[in-house]
Amino acid sequence: MFHGRVPMFESAFSRLRPAQRGFTLVELLVTLSVLAILSALALPSMQNAMSNQRLVSGAYQLKNILDEARGEAARRRIPVQLWSAYPSTPDSPFNGRKNSTLVSPTADTVPTEISSQKPSWYLYAPDQTAATASKFPQYLSISDNVQITTSLTAAQGRAIRFVPYGPITQVDVSATSNGTPLPVVVFRVCDRKLSGEPGYTVVLNQNGIARVEKGPIAVPADTTSTGAQACA
């Protein structure tokens, strides 16, 4: 029996096998460089997309709670107030950062189960005679990256009063009586982290009906203040 090597056959089989080799260091560096360039080009688009999603969400969340306030007033047949939980100065965003003391109505204290959630806004039904919790039917919190400025002046306060089948009014913080009728209220929804984006606008008319528009709008003539139309 022959146990020796046959160089001729071994050489032939070696030529038939495909060459096996890995990436060189230069190839790896080139690949990583291309990936880095593509990531750098895509990053601004990703940031803009994420910002736009935050703004769309914030604008429609605000519209939804405005609609909820109007609906609660009609359903309960009593006035319902929308309060900004953390109003702030000097830039006066309607939703200030949630690192200060939550603002409560004069007559009641916001229940702990709501205040612990650090809401951006909450609804308050001061004329409700049932338990305290039922006076606060809804609350909502949005991202701190979204800033909402408003055409409401300091004198008009940071709360809006909805009545059943009537115009929106200013909240009289010293009592629960009817306040002064409010003009059209304009809310500008901007991103705190980005500048120059068009943002979104929520418009609340005098009958308490809200709508959302992209970018700044032509301020209605019956608005007492223009608010912050540009996103800084």
Side-chain angles (χ1 to χ4, degrees):
M1 183 178 290
F2 180 72
H3 295 286
R5 299 176 61 187
V6 183
M8 178 181 67
F9 291 104
E10 182 177 346
S11 177
F13 284 126
S14 298
R15 286 194 299 270
L16 291 175
R17 288 198 304 266
Q20 297 179 356
R21 57 187 292 270
F23 292 106
T24 66
L25 179 59
V26 173
E27 289 172 332
L28 286 174
L29 290 175
V30 170
T31 302
L32 292 175
S33 298
V34 171
L35 289 176
I37 293 171
L38 293 176
S39 299
L41 293 174
L43 184 60
S45 297
M46 291 177 60
Q47 287 179 330
N48 289 336
M50 292 173 63
S51 171
N52 187 68
Q53 183 57 40
R54 284 194 297 266
L55 296 182
V56 169
S57 176
Y60 278 95
Q61 283 179 308
L62 174 58
K63 180 187 182 300
N64 288 343
I65 201 165
L66 290 168
D67 292 342
E68 183 76 15
R70 182 169 176 264
E72 282 288 323
R75 183 178 68 83
R76 297 181 181 219
R77 299 184 184 279
I78 59 173
V80 172
Q81 301 171 3
L82 172 65
W83 281 74
S84 172
Y86 297 92
S88 178
T89 55
D91 52 348
S92 298
F94 192 65
N95 63 319
R97 292 185 183 275
K98 308 180 189 74
N99 54 7
S100 56
T101 303
L102 184 144
V103 175
S104 297
T106 303
D108 285 291
T109 301
V110 178
T112 304
E113 58 267 24
I114 294 179
S115 61
S116 63
Q117 300 299 316
K118 293 188 175 296
S120 300
W121 318 290
Y122 59 86
L123 300 186
Y124 173 55
D127 298 331
Q128 185 74 26
T129 57
T132 302
S134 69
K135 293 183 178 182
F136 298 86
Q138 186 63 270
Y139 67 92
L140 186 63
S141 183
I142 66 170
S143 169
D144 272 338
N145 291 334
V146 178
Q147 176 171 300
I148 299 178
T149 52
T150 173
S151 60
L152 289 171
T153 64
Q156 290 169 335
R158 289 292 179 266
I160 302 172
R161 187 171 183 267
F162 294 78
V163 297
Y165 314 111
I168 57 174
T169 65
Q170 176 179 331
V171 172
D172 184 353
V173 296
S174 62
T176 57
S177 60
N178 289 336
T180 305
L182 285 171
V184 173
V185 181
V186 176
F187 301 93
R188 285 289 288 130
V189 184
C190 301
D191 194 316
R192 279 191 170 103
K193 289 190 172 183
L194 296 179
S195 61
E197 85 279 2
Y200 285 80
T201 302
V202 180
V203 182
L204 180 69
N205 71 18
Q206 291 166 306
N207 293 318
I209 300 174
R211 73 178 192 273
V212 177
E213 296 192 17
K214 186 172 183 178
I217 65 166
V219 179
D222 50 359
T223 303
T224 57
S225 173
T226 59
Q229 279 289 297
C231 288

PDB file of all heavy atoms in Angstrom, residues 95 120 163:
ATOM      1  N   ASN A  95     -46.310  76.059  28.552  1.00  0.00           N
ATOM      2  CA  ASN A  95     -45.879  74.866  29.280  1.00  0.00           C
ATOM      3  C   ASN A  95     -44.453  75.077  29.777  1.00  0.00           C
ATOM      4  O   ASN A  95     -43.487  74.725  29.118  1.00  0.00           O
ATOM      5  CB  ASN A  95     -45.955  73.619  28.385  1.00  0.00           C
ATOM      6  CG  ASN A  95     -45.015  73.699  27.202  1.00  0.00           C
ATOM      7  OD1 ASN A  95     -44.865  74.747  26.578  1.00  0.00           O
ATOM      8  ND2 ASN A  95     -44.347  72.601  26.887  1.00  0.00           N
ATOM      9  N   SER A 120     -48.304  68.897  31.968  1.00  0.00           N
ATOM     10  CA  SER A 120     -48.125  70.198  31.326  1.00  0.00           C
ATOM     11  C   SER A 120     -49.379  71.043  31.520  1.00  0.00           C
ATOM     12  O   SER A 120     -49.302  72.252  31.736  1.00  0.00           O
ATOM     13  CB  SER A 120     -47.847  70.019  29.829  1.00  0.00           C
ATOM     14  OG  SER A 120     -46.670  69.261  29.630  1.00  0.00           O
ATOM     15  N   VAL A 163     -67.162  77.370  28.720  1.00  0.00           N
ATOM     16  CA  VAL A 163     -68.521  77.269  29.251  1.00  0.00           C
ATOM     17  C   VAL A 163     -69.371  76.493  28.252  1.00  0.00           C
ATOM     18  O   VAL A 163     -69.062  76.447  27.058  1.00  0.00           O
ATOM     19  CB  VAL A 163     -69.133  78.665  29.509  1.00  0.00           C
ATOM     20  CG1 VAL A 163     -68.341  79.410  30.569  1.00  0.00           C
ATOM     21  CG2 VAL A 163     -69.190  79.479  28.221  1.00  0.00           C
TER      22      VAL A 163
END
